[in-house]
Coordinates of all heavy atoms in Angstrom, one line a residue:
M1 N 131.8 111.5 87.1 CA 130.8 110.6 87.5 C 131.2 109.1 87.2 O 131.9 108.9 86.3 CB 129.4 110.8 86.8 CG 128.8 112.2 87.1 SD 127.0 112.1 87.1 CE 126.7 111.6 85.4
S2 N 130.8 108.2 88.1 CA 131.2 106.8 87.8 C 130.0 106.0 88.0 O 129.0 106.3 88.7 CB 132.3 106.4 88.8 OG 131.8 106.5 90.1
F3 N 130.0 104.8 87.3 CA 128.9 103.9 87.4 C 129.2 102.7 88.3 O 130.4 102.4 88.4 CB 128.3 103.5 86.1 CG 129.3 102.8 85.2 CD1 129.5 101.4 85.5 CD2 129.9 103.4 84.2 CE1 130.4 100.7 84.7 CE2 130.8 102.7 83.4 CZ 131.1 101.4 83.6
I4 N 128.2 102.1 88.8 CA 128.4 100.9 89.6 C 127.4 99.8 89.1 O 126.5 100.1 88.4 CB 128.2 101.1 91.1 CG1 126.9 101.8 91.3 CG2 129.3 102.0 91.7 CD1 126.4 101.7 92.8
L5 N 127.6 98.6 89.6 CA 126.7 97.5 89.3 C 125.7 97.4 90.5 O 126.0 97.4 91.6 CB 127.4 96.2 89.2 CG 128.2 96.0 87.9 CD1 129.0 94.7 88.0 CD2 127.3 95.9 86.7
V6 N 124.4 97.4 90.1 CA 123.3 97.2 91.1 C 122.4 96.1 90.6 O 122.5 95.7 89.4 CB 122.5 98.5 91.3 CG1 123.4 99.6 91.8 CG2 121.8 98.9 90.0
K7 N 121.5 95.7 91.5 CA 120.5 94.7 91.0 C 119.2 95.0 91.8 O 119.3 95.6 92.9 CB 120.9 93.3 91.1 CG 121.3 92.8 92.5 CD 121.8 91.3 92.4 CE 122.2 90.8 93.7 NZ 122.6 89.4 93.6
N8 N 118.1 94.5 91.3 CA 116.8 94.7 92.0 C 116.9 93.9 93.3 O 117.4 92.8 93.4 CB 115.7 94.1 91.1 CG 115.3 95.0 90.0 OD1 115.3 96.2 90.1 ND2 115.1 94.4 88.8
K9 N 116.2 94.6 94.3 CA 116.0 93.9 95.6 C 114.6 93.3 95.6 O 113.7 94.0 95.2 CB 116.2 94.9 96.7 CG 116.1 94.3 98.1 CD 116.5 95.4 99.1 CE 116.1 95.0 100.5 NZ 116.5 93.7 100.9
N10 N 114.6 92.0 95.9 CA 113.3 91.4 96.0 C 112.6 91.7 97.3 O 113.2 92.1 98.3 CB 113.4 89.9 95.8 CG 113.9 89.6 94.4 OD1 113.5 90.3 93.4 ND2 114.6 88.5 94.2
N11 N 111.3 91.4 97.3 CA 110.5 91.4 98.6 C 110.6 92.8 99.2 O 110.9 92.9 100.4 CB 111.0 90.4 99.6 CG 110.9 89.0 99.0 OD1 109.9 88.7 98.3 ND2 111.9 88.2 99.2
T12 N 110.3 93.8 98.5 CA 110.3 95.2 99.1 C 108.9 95.7 99.3 O 108.8 96.8 99.8 CB 111.0 96.1 98.1 OG1 110.4 96.1 96.8 CG2 112.5 95.8 97.9
T13 N 107.9 94.9 99.1 CA 106.6 95.4 99.3 C 106.3 95.8 100.7 O 105.4 96.6 101.0 CB 105.5 94.4 98.8 OG1 105.9 93.1 99.4 CG2 105.5 94.3 97.3
G14 N 107.0 95.3 101.7 CA 106.8 95.6 103.1 C 107.4 96.9 103.6 O 107.2 97.3 104.7
K15 N 108.3 97.4 102.7 CA 109.0 98.6 103.1 C 108.1 99.8 103.2 O 107.2 100.0 102.4 CB 110.1 99.0 102.0 CG 111.4 98.3 102.2 CD 112.2 98.9 103.3 CE 113.4 98.2 103.6 NZ 114.1 98.7 104.8
T16 N 108.2 100.5 104.3 CA 107.3 101.7 104.5 C 107.9 102.9 103.9 O 109.0 103.3 104.2 CB 107.2 101.9 106.0 OG1 106.7 100.7 106.6 CG2 106.1 103.0 106.3
L17 N 107.1 103.6 103.1 CA 107.5 104.8 102.5 C 107.6 105.9 103.6 O 106.6 106.0 104.4 CB 106.4 105.2 101.5 CG 106.6 106.5 100.6 CD1 107.8 106.3 99.7 CD2 105.3 106.8 99.9
P18 N 108.7 106.7 103.7 CA 108.8 107.7 104.7 C 107.6 108.7 104.5 O 107.1 108.9 103.4 CB 110.1 108.4 104.4 CG 110.9 107.4 103.6 CD 109.9 106.6 102.8
T19 N 107.2 109.3 105.6 CA 106.1 110.3 105.6 C 106.5 111.5 104.8 O 107.7 111.9 104.7 CB 105.7 110.7 107.0 OG1 106.8 111.1 107.7 CG2 104.9 109.6 107.7
G20 N 105.5 112.1 104.1 CA 105.8 113.3 103.3 C 106.0 113.0 101.8 O 106.2 113.9 101.1
Y21 N 105.9 111.7 101.4 CA 106.1 111.4 100.0 C 104.9 110.6 99.5 O 104.3 109.8 100.3 CB 107.4 110.5 99.9 CG 108.6 111.2 100.4 CD1 109.1 110.9 101.6 CD2 109.2 112.3 99.7 CE1 110.3 111.5 102.2 CE2 110.3 112.9 100.2 CZ 110.8 112.5 101.4 OH 111.9 113.2 101.9
T22 N 104.6 110.8 98.2 CA 103.5 110.0 97.7 C 103.9 108.7 97.1 O 103.0 107.9 96.8 CB 102.8 110.9 96.6 OG1 103.7 111.2 95.6 CG2 102.2 112.2 97.2
S23 N 105.2 108.5 96.8 CA 105.6 107.3 96.2 C 107.2 107.3 96.3 O 107.8 108.3 96.7 CB 105.3 107.2 94.7 OG 106.0 108.2 94.0
W24 N 107.8 106.1 96.0 CA 109.2 106.0 96.1 C 109.9 106.9 95.0 O 111.0 107.4 95.2 CB 109.7 104.6 96.0 CG 109.4 103.8 97.2 CD1 108.5 102.8 97.4 CD2 110.1 104.0 98.5 NE1 108.6 102.4 98.7 CE2 109.6 103.0 99.3 CE3 111.2 104.8 98.9 CZ2 110.0 102.9 100.7 CZ3 111.6 104.7 100.2 CH2 111.0 103.8 101.1
L25 N 109.1 107.1 93.9 CA 109.7 108.0 92.8 C 109.6 109.4 93.3 O 110.6 110.2 93.1 CB 108.9 107.8 91.5 CG 109.5 108.4 90.3 CD1 110.8 107.8 89.9 CD2 108.5 108.3 89.1
D26 N 108.6 109.8 94.0 CA 108.5 111.1 94.6 C 109.6 111.3 95.7 O 110.2 112.4 95.7 CB 107.1 111.2 95.3 CG 106.8 112.6 95.9 OD1 107.0 113.6 95.1 OD2 106.4 112.7 97.0
F27 N 109.8 110.3 96.4 CA 110.9 110.3 97.4 C 112.3 110.6 96.7 O 113.1 111.4 97.2 CB 111.0 108.9 98.1 CG 112.2 108.7 99.0 CD1 112.3 109.2 100.3 CD2 113.3 107.9 98.6 CE1 113.4 109.0 101.1 CE2 114.4 107.7 99.4 CZ 114.4 108.2 100.6
W28 N 112.5 109.9 95.6 CA 113.8 110.1 94.9 C 113.8 111.5 94.3 O 114.9 112.2 94.5 CB 113.9 109.1 93.8 CG 115.2 109.1 93.0 CD1 116.3 108.4 93.3 CD2 115.5 110.0 91.9 NE1 117.3 108.7 92.4 CE2 116.9 109.7 91.6 CE3 114.9 110.9 91.2 CZ2 117.5 110.3 90.5 CZ3 115.5 111.6 90.1 CH2 116.8 111.3 89.8
E29 N 112.8 112.0 93.7 CA 112.7 113.3 93.1 C 113.0 114.4 94.1 O 113.7 115.4 93.9 CB 111.4 113.5 92.4 CG 111.3 112.7 91.1 CD 110.0 112.9 90.3 OE1 109.0 113.3 90.9 OE2 110.1 112.7 89.1
K30 N 112.3 114.3 95.3 CA 112.5 115.3 96.3 C 113.9 115.3 96.9 O 114.4 116.3 97.3 CB 111.4 115.2 97.4 CG 110.1 115.7 96.8 CD 108.9 115.6 97.8 CE 107.6 116.2 97.2 NZ 106.4 115.7 97.7
S31 N 114.4 114.1 97.1 CA 115.8 113.9 97.6 C 116.8 114.5 96.7 O 117.8 115.2 97.1 CB 116.1 112.5 97.9 OG 115.2 111.9 98.8
K32 N 116.6 114.3 95.4 CA 117.6 114.8 94.4 C 117.3 116.2 93.9 O 118.1 116.8 93.2 CB 117.5 113.9 93.1 CG 118.1 112.5 93.3 CD 119.6 112.5 93.5 CE 120.4 112.8 92.2 NZ 121.9 112.7 92.5
R33 N 116.1 116.7 94.2 CA 115.6 118.0 93.7 C 115.7 118.0 92.2 O 116.1 119.0 91.6 CB 116.4 119.1 94.4 CG 116.2 119.2 95.9 CD 116.9 120.5 96.4 NE 116.6 120.6 97.8 CZ 117.3 120.0 98.8 NH1 118.4 119.3 98.5 NH2 117.0 120.2 100.1
K34 N 115.3 117.0 91.6 CA 115.1 117.0 90.1 C 114.1 115.9 89.7 O 113.8 115.0 90.5 CB 116.4 116.8 89.4 CG 117.0 115.4 89.5 CD 118.3 115.3 88.7 CE 118.8 113.9 88.7 NZ 120.0 113.7 87.9
K35 N 113.5 116.1 88.5 CA 112.5 115.1 88.0 C 113.2 113.9 87.5 O 114.3 114.0 86.9 CB 111.7 115.8 86.9 CG 110.6 116.7 87.4 CD 109.4 116.0 87.9 CE 108.4 116.9 88.5 NZ 107.4 116.1 89.3
A36 N 112.6 112.8 87.7 CA 113.1 111.5 87.1 C 112.5 111.4 85.7 O 111.3 111.4 85.6 CB 112.7 110.3 88.0
L37 N 113.3 111.4 84.7 CA 112.8 111.4 83.4 C 113.0 110.1 82.7 O 112.1 109.5 82.2 CB 113.5 112.5 82.5 CG 113.3 113.9 83.1 CD1 114.2 114.9 82.3 CD2 111.9 114.3 83.0
V38 N 114.2 109.6 82.6 CA 114.6 108.4 81.9 C 115.0 107.3 82.9 O 115.6 107.6 83.9 CB 115.7 108.6 80.9 CG1 116.1 107.4 80.1 CG2 115.3 109.7 79.9
C39 N 114.6 106.1 82.6 CA 115.0 104.9 83.4 C 116.5 105.0 83.6 O 117.3 105.2 82.6 CB 114.6 103.6 82.6 SG 115.2 102.1 83.4
E40 N 116.9 104.7 84.8 CA 118.4 104.8 85.2 C 119.2 103.6 84.9 O 120.4 103.6 85.1 CB 118.5 105.2 86.6 CG 117.9 106.5 87.0 CD 118.9 107.7 87.0 OE1 120.1 107.4 86.9 OE2 118.4 108.8 87.1
R41 N 118.6 102.6 84.4 CA 119.4 101.4 84.0 C 120.1 101.9 82.7 O 119.5 102.3 81.7 CB 118.5 100.2 83.6 CG 119.2 99.0 83.2 CD 118.3 97.9 82.8 NE 119.0 96.8 82.1 CZ 118.9 95.6 82.5 NH1 118.3 95.3 83.6 NH2 119.6 94.6 81.9
M42 N 121.4 101.8 82.8 CA 122.2 102.3 81.7 C 121.8 101.7 80.3 O 121.6 100.5 80.2 CB 123.7 102.1 81.9 CG 124.6 103.1 81.3 SD 126.2 103.1 81.9 CE 125.9 104.0 83.5
L43 N 121.7 102.5 79.3 CA 121.3 102.2 78.0 C 119.8 102.0 77.8 O 119.3 101.9 76.6 CB 122.0 100.9 77.4 CG 123.6 101.0 77.5 CD1 124.2 99.7 76.9 CD2 124.1 102.2 76.7
C44 N 119.0 101.9 78.8 CA 117.6 101.8 78.7 C 117.1 103.2 78.4 O 117.5 104.2 79.1 CB 116.9 101.3 80.0 SG 115.1 101.2 79.8
K45 N 116.2 103.4 77.4 CA 115.7 104.7 77.0 C 114.2 104.9 77.4 O 113.6 105.9 77.1 CB 115.8 104.9 75.5 CG 117.2 104.7 75.0 CD 118.1 105.9 75.5 CE 119.5 105.8 74.8 NZ 120.5 106.3 75.7
N46 N 113.7 104.0 78.2 CA 112.3 104.1 78.6 C 112.1 105.2 79.6 O 113.0 105.6 80.3 CB 111.8 102.7 79.2 CG 111.7 101.6 78.2 OD1 111.6 101.9 77.0 ND2 111.8 100.4 78.7
T47 N 110.8 105.6 79.8 CA 110.5 106.6 80.8 C 110.6 106.0 82.2 O 110.2 104.9 82.4 CB 109.1 107.1 80.5 OG1 109.0 107.6 79.2 CG2 108.7 108.2 81.5
A48 N 111.1 106.8 83.1 CA 111.2 106.4 84.5 C 109.7 106.3 85.0 O 109.0 107.3 84.9 CB 112.0 107.3 85.3
E49 N 109.3 105.2 85.5 CA 107.9 105.0 86.0 C 107.8 104.8 87.5 O 106.8 105.1 88.1 CB 107.3 103.8 85.2 CG 107.2 104.0 83.7 CD 106.8 102.8 83.0 OE1 107.6 101.8 83.0 OE2 105.7 102.7 82.5
V50 N 108.8 104.2 88.1 CA 108.7 103.8 89.5 C 110.1 104.1 90.1 O 111.1 104.2 89.5 CB 108.4 102.3 89.7 CG1 107.0 102.0 89.2 CG2 109.4 101.4 89.0
G51 N 110.0 104.2 91.5 CA 111.3 104.3 92.2 C 111.6 102.9 92.6 O 111.0 102.3 93.5
G52 N 112.6 102.3 91.9 CA 112.9 100.9 92.1 C 113.8 100.7 93.3 O 114.7 101.6 93.6
H53 N 113.7 99.6 94.0 CA 114.6 99.3 95.2 C 115.7 98.4 94.6 O 115.5 97.4 94.1 CB 113.8 98.5 96.2 CG 112.7 99.3 96.9 ND1 112.8 99.7 98.1 CD2 111.5 99.7 96.4 CE1 111.6 100.4 98.4 NE2 110.9 100.4 97.3
V54 N 116.9 98.9 94.8 CA 118.1 98.2 94.3 C 119.1 98.1 95.5 O 119.1 98.8 96.4 CB 118.7 98.9 93.1 CG1 117.7 99.0 92.0 CG2 119.3 100.2 93.5
I55 N 120.0 97.1 95.3 CA 121.2 97.0 96.2 C 122.4 97.1 95.3 O 122.4 96.7 94.1 CB 121.2 95.7 97.0 CG1 121.0 94.5 96.1 CG2 120.0 95.7 98.0 CD1 121.1 93.1 96.8
K56 N 123.5 97.6 95.9 CA 124.8 97.6 95.2 C 125.4 96.2 95.2 O 125.3 95.5 96.2 CB 125.8 98.6 95.9 CG 125.4 100.0 95.7 CD 126.5 100.8 96.4 CE 126.2 102.3 96.4 NZ 127.2 103.1 97.1
S57 N 126.0 95.9 94.1 CA 126.6 94.6 94.0 C 127.7 94.5 95.0 O 128.6 95.4 95.1 CB 127.2 94.4 92.6 OG 127.8 93.1 92.4
G58 N 127.7 93.4 95.8 CA 128.8 93.2 96.8 C 128.7 94.0 98.1 O 129.6 94.0 98.9
E59 N 127.6 94.7 98.2 CA 127.5 95.6 99.4 C 126.5 95.0 100.5 O 126.3 95.6 101.5 CB 127.1 97.0 99.1 CG 127.4 98.0 100.1 CD 126.7 99.4 99.9 OE1 125.5 99.4 99.9 OE2 127.5 100.3 99.9
G60 N 125.9 93.9 100.2 CA 124.9 93.3 101.1 C 123.5 93.9 100.9 O 123.2 94.1 99.7
N61 N 122.8 94.1 101.9 CA 121.4 94.4 101.8 C 121.0 95.9 101.9 O 119.9 96.2 102.0 CB 120.6 93.6 102.8 CG 120.1 92.3 102.2 OD1 119.9 92.2 101.0 ND2 120.0 91.3 103.1
K62 N 122.0 96.8 101.9 CA 121.7 98.2 102.0 C 120.9 98.6 100.8 O 121.3 98.3 99.7 CB 122.9 99.0 102.2 CG 122.6 100.5 102.4 CD 123.8 101.2 103.0 CE 123.6 102.7 103.0 NZ 122.3 103.1 103.6
E63 N 119.8 99.3 101.0 CA 118.8 99.5 100.0 C 118.9 100.9 99.4 O 119.0 101.9 100.2 CB 117.4 99.2 100.6 CG 116.3 99.0 99.6 CD 115.1 98.5 100.3 OE1 115.2 97.6 101.2 OE2 114.0 99.1 100.0
Y64 N 118.7 101.1 98.1 CA 118.7 102.4 97.5 C 117.5 102.5 96.5 O 117.0 101.5 96.1 CB 120.0 102.6 96.7 CG 121.3 102.5 97.5 CD1 121.9 101.3 97.7 CD2 121.9 103.6 98.0 CE1 123.0 101.2 98.5 CE2 123.0 103.6 98.7 CZ 123.6 102.4 99.0 OH 124.8 102.3 99.7
I65 N 117.1 103.7 96.3 CA 116.1 104.0 95.3 C 116.7 104.5 94.0 O 117.6 105.4 94.1 CB 115.0 105.0 95.9 CG1 114.4 104.5 97.1 CG2 114.0 105.3 94.8 CD1 113.6 103.2 97.0
L66 N 116.2 104.0 92.9 CA 116.7 104.4 91.6 C 115.4 104.4 90.7 O 114.7 103.5 90.6 CB 117.7 103.4 91.1 CG 118.5 103.6 89.9 CD1 119.5 104.8 90.2 CD2 119.3 102.4 89.6
P67 N 115.3 105.5 89.9 CA 114.1 105.6 89.0 C 114.3 104.5 87.8 O 115.4 104.5 87.2 CB 114.2 107.0 88.4 CG 115.0 107.8 89.4 CD 116.0 106.8 90.0
L68 N 113.3 103.7 87.7 CA 113.4 102.7 86.7 C 112.0 102.6 85.9 O 111.0 103.0 86.4 CB 113.6 101.3 87.3 CG 114.9 101.1 88.1 CD1 114.9 99.8 88.8 CD2 116.1 101.2 87.1
C69 N 112.1 102.0 84.7 CA 110.9 101.7 84.0 C 110.3 100.4 84.6 O 111.0 99.7 85.3 CB 111.1 101.6 82.5 SG 112.1 100.1 82.0
K70 N 109.1 100.1 84.3 CA 108.5 98.9 84.9 C 109.2 97.6 84.5 O 109.3 96.6 85.3 CB 107.0 98.8 84.6 CG 106.3 99.8 85.5 CD 104.8 99.9 85.3 CE 104.1 100.9 86.2 NZ 102.8 101.2 85.8
D71 N 109.7 97.6 83.3 CA 110.4 96.4 82.8 C 111.7 96.1 83.6 O 112.0 95.0 84.1 CB 110.8 96.5 81.3 CG 109.5 96.3 80.4 OD1 108.5 95.8 80.9 OD2 109.7 96.7 79.2
C72 N 112.4 97.2 83.8 CA 113.7 97.1 84.5 C 113.5 96.8 86.0 O 114.3 96.3 86.7 CB 114.6 98.3 84.3 SG 115.2 98.5 82.6
N73 N 112.3 97.2 86.5 CA 112.1 97.1 87.9 C 111.4 95.7 88.2 O 111.3 95.3 89.4 CB 111.1 98.2 88.4 CG 110.9 98.1 89.9 OD1 111.9 98.2 90.7 ND2 109.7 98.1 90.4
H74 N 111.1 95.0 87.2 CA 110.4 93.7 87.4 C 111.3 92.7 88.2 O 112.5 92.6 88.0 CB 110.0 93.1 86.1 CG 108.9 92.1 86.2 ND1 109.1 90.8 86.4 CD2 107.6 92.2 86.1 CE1 108.0 90.1 86.5 NE2 107.0 91.0 86.3
T75 N 110.6 92.0 89.1 CA 111.4 91.1 90.0 C 112.0 89.9 89.2 O 112.9 89.3 89.7 CB 110.5 90.5 91.1 OG1 109.3 90.0 90.6 CG2 110.2 91.6 92.1
S76 N 111.5 89.6 88.0 CA 112.1 88.6 87.2 C 113.4 89.0 86.6 O 114.2 88.2 86.1 CB 111.1 88.1 86.1 OG 111.0 89.2 85.2
N77 N 113.7 90.3 86.7 CA 114.9 90.8 86.2 C 116.0 90.7 87.2 O 116.1 91.6 88.1 CB 114.7 92.3 85.7 CG 115.9 92.9 85.1 OD1 116.9 92.2 84.9 ND2 115.8 94.1 84.7
I78 N 116.8 89.7 87.2 CA 117.7 89.4 88.3 C 119.1 89.7 87.9 O 120.0 89.5 88.8 CB 117.6 87.9 88.8 CG1 117.8 87.0 87.6 CG2 116.2 87.7 89.4 CD1 118.0 85.5 88.0
E79 N 119.4 90.1 86.7 CA 120.8 90.4 86.4 C 121.2 91.8 86.9 O 120.4 92.7 87.1 CB 121.0 90.3 84.9 CG 119.8 90.7 84.0 CD 120.1 90.6 82.5 OE1 121.0 91.4 82.1 OE2 119.5 89.8 81.9
E80 N 122.5 91.8 87.1 CA 123.0 93.1 87.6 C 123.1 94.1 86.4 O 123.1 93.7 85.2 CB 124.5 92.9 88.1 CG 124.6 92.1 89.3 CD 126.0 91.9 89.8 OE1 126.9 92.0 89.0 OE2 126.1 91.6 91.0
F81 N 122.9 95.4 86.7 CA 123.0 96.3 85.6 C 123.8 97.6 86.1 O 124.0 97.8 87.3 CB 121.6 96.7 85.1 CG 120.7 97.2 86.1 CD1 120.6 98.6 86.3 CD2 119.8 96.4 86.8 CE1 119.6 99.1 87.3 CE2 118.9 96.8 87.7 CZ 118.8 98.2 87.9
K82 N 124.2 98.4 85.1 CA 125.0 99.6 85.5 C 124.1 100.8 85.7 O 123.1 101.0 85.0 CB 126.0 99.9 84.3 CG 127.1 98.9 84.1 CD 127.9 99.2 82.9 CE 129.0 98.2 82.6 NZ 129.7 98.4 81.3
A83 N 124.5 101.6 86.7 CA 123.8 102.8 87.0 C 124.8 103.8 87.5 O 125.8 103.4 88.0 CB 122.7 102.6 88.0
W84 N 124.4 105.1 87.4 CA 125.3 106.1 88.0 C 125.2 106.1 89.5 O 124.1 106.2 90.1 CB 124.9 107.5 87.5 CG 125.1 107.7 86.0 CD1 124.2 107.8 85.0 CD2 126.4 107.7 85.3 NE1 124.8 107.9 83.8 CE2 126.1 107.8 83.9 CE3 127.7 107.6 85.7 CZ2 127.1 107.9 83.0 CZ3 128.7 107.7 84.8 CH2 128.4 107.8 83.4
E85 N 126.3 106.0 90.1 CA 126.4 105.9 91.6 C 125.7 107.1 92.3 O 125.1 107.0 93.3 CB 127.8 105.7 92.1 CG 127.9 105.5 93.6 CD 129.2 104.9 94.0 OE1 130.2 105.0 93.3 OE2 129.2 104.3 95.1
S86 N 126.0 108.3 91.6 CA 125.4 109.5 92.3 C 123.9 109.6 92.2 O 123.3 110.5 92.8 CB 126.1 110.7 91.6 OG 125.8 110.7 90.2
D87 N 123.3 108.7 91.4 CA 121.8 108.8 91.3 C 121.1 107.8 92.3 O 119.9 107.7 92.3 CB 121.4 108.5 89.9 CG 121.5 109.8 89.1 OD1 121.6 110.9 89.6 OD2 121.5 109.7 87.8
L88 N 121.9 107.1 93.1 CA 121.3 106.2 94.1 C 121.0 107.0 95.3 O 121.8 107.7 95.9 CB 122.3 105.1 94.5 CG 122.6 104.1 93.4 CD1 123.7 103.2 93.9 CD2 121.4 103.3 93.0
I89 N 119.7 106.9 95.8 CA 119.3 107.5 97.1 C 119.1 106.4 98.1 O 118.3 105.5 97.9 CB 118.0 108.3 96.9 CG1 118.2 109.4 95.9 CG2 117.6 108.9 98.2 CD1 119.2 110.5 96.2
A90 N 119.9 106.5 99.2 CA 119.8 105.5 100.2 C 118.5 105.5 101.0 O 118.0 106.6 101.2 CB 121.0 105.6 101.2
V91 N 117.9 104.4 101.3 CA 116.7 104.3 102.1 C 117.1 104.2 103.5 O 117.9 103.3 103.9 CB 115.9 103.1 101.7 CG1 114.6 103.0 102.6 CG2 115.4 103.2 100.2
K92 N 116.6 105.1 104.4 CA 116.9 105.0 105.8 C 116.0 104.0 106.4 O 114.8 104.0 106.2 CB 116.8 106.4 106.4 CG 117.8 107.4 105.8 CD 117.2 108.8 105.9 CE 117.8 109.8 104.9 NZ 117.1 109.8 103.6
N93 N 116.6 103.2 107.3 CA 115.8 102.2 107.9 C 115.3 102.7 109.3 O 115.8 103.5 109.9 CB 116.5 100.9 108.1 CG 116.7 100.2 106.8 OD1 115.7 99.9 106.1 ND2 117.9 99.9 106.4
Ligands
LIG101 ZN1 114.4 100.6 81.9

């Protein structure tokens, strides 16, 4: 497994959740076929609370879902952070 740098994507409130899911965290769990337990920001030990919208550093605006705690998902959190690349689920537009 390898990690990559990602950061929060701002202004995601307009994104439409695909049908068949109750939340972005539900979308991630059903796509991965596993429960989201711990925040995926590396070294954060908080419980995963939301499916956060992130972009890969240097990749432009392609959007991915990653389980995060509310602190790590906060839009004021603008620094890049490390996450496992295999845990990113792409959002289809
Ligand atoms: Zn966190």
